[in-house]
Amino acid sequence: WYVEKDIEGTQFEPLFENIKPVLEKLYQDGWNLGIATNKSLRGLNRGLIHHAIEDFFSIIMTADNFIPKPNKAMAMHALRTLKVKNSETFMIGDTVYDIKMGKNAKINTIAVIWGYNAKEELKQASADYIVNDPSELVEILRGL
């Protein structure tokens, strides 16, 4: 069903509430934003265009071209490509795999609780920060 809907172009991943304004603020603040996902590029691109957020991202990495998370391959590629230091980089994610990838790449991690994994699971994954609301992301990153 998902493959058929993807091919039809009639179903899109939802965009969590208040995410677009956060992306806009971080982009305007000069952050290099990237996507590291275990999903396919085809569906991801359609969703980015549908939600009009594709221009915010400097780099996009999918499981089509990289070893899936929690392997650190996507993170390491982003660090090299964007020429940023581990200490200046944050993996923001809603799954244990996101946090583990960040830990495997020795980068800072921020877990968000409005996605796939529960707060307790994200705590157990040892996220450096756990946020309850998208606006907290801007506060954390601006504060560093």
Side-chain angles (χ1 to χ4, degrees):
W1 183 86
Y2 287 107
V3 171
E4 287 176 18
K5 295 301 175 191
D6 188 42
I7 291 169
E8 291 172 7
T10 58
Q11 297 291 321
F12 302 95
E13 289 285 330
L15 194 60
F16 291 110
E17 189 175 343
N18 297 320
I19 292 299
K20 190 170 182 178
V22 167
L23 292 173
E24 289 171 342
K25 286 176 187 168
L26 294 175
Y27 181 78
Q28 289 168 355
D29 284 354
W31 286 91
N32 284 315
L33 303 176
I35 296 174
T37 182
N38 286 349
K39 296 179 180 170
S40 73
L41 183 60
R42 179 179 62 195
L44 174 64
N45 279 338
R46 284 190 325 86
L48 294 174
I49 292 166
H50 174 76
H51 294 295
I53 59 172
E54 71 276 13
D55 292 337
F56 296 131
F57 299 99
S58 302
I59 191 167
I60 295 173
M61 299 155 294
T62 69
D64 293 337
N65 298 312
F66 292 91
I67 300 169
K69 298 178 283 182
N71 186 285
K72 66 182 181 179
M74 287 188 247
M76 300 310 291
H77 176 75
L79 291 169
R80 283 190 304 274
T81 302
L82 299 174
K83 297 180 173 86
V84 293
K85 297 177 186 175
N86 298 53
S87 61
E88 299 170 342
T89 303
F90 292 82
M91 178 60 197
I92 301 169
D94 65 342
T95 71
V96 171
Y97 295 122
D98 296 323
I99 303 308
K100 287 182 179 178
M101 180 185 78
K103 294 295 182 185
N104 289 338
K106 296 181 175 33
I107 60 177
N108 304 292
T109 57
I110 302 176
V112 300
I113 66 162
W114 55 82
Y116 286 102
N117 288 149
K119 189 174 188 174
E120 265 318 302
E121 293 171 292
L122 296 165
K123 275 185 183 179
Q124 290 175 0
S126 301
D128 297 311
Y129 301 89
I130 296 180
V131 299
N132 301 298
D133 183 85
S135 64
E136 292 178 56
L137 292 171
V138 176
E139 293 171 25
I140 289 171
L141 294 173
R142 282 184 174 169
L144 296 173

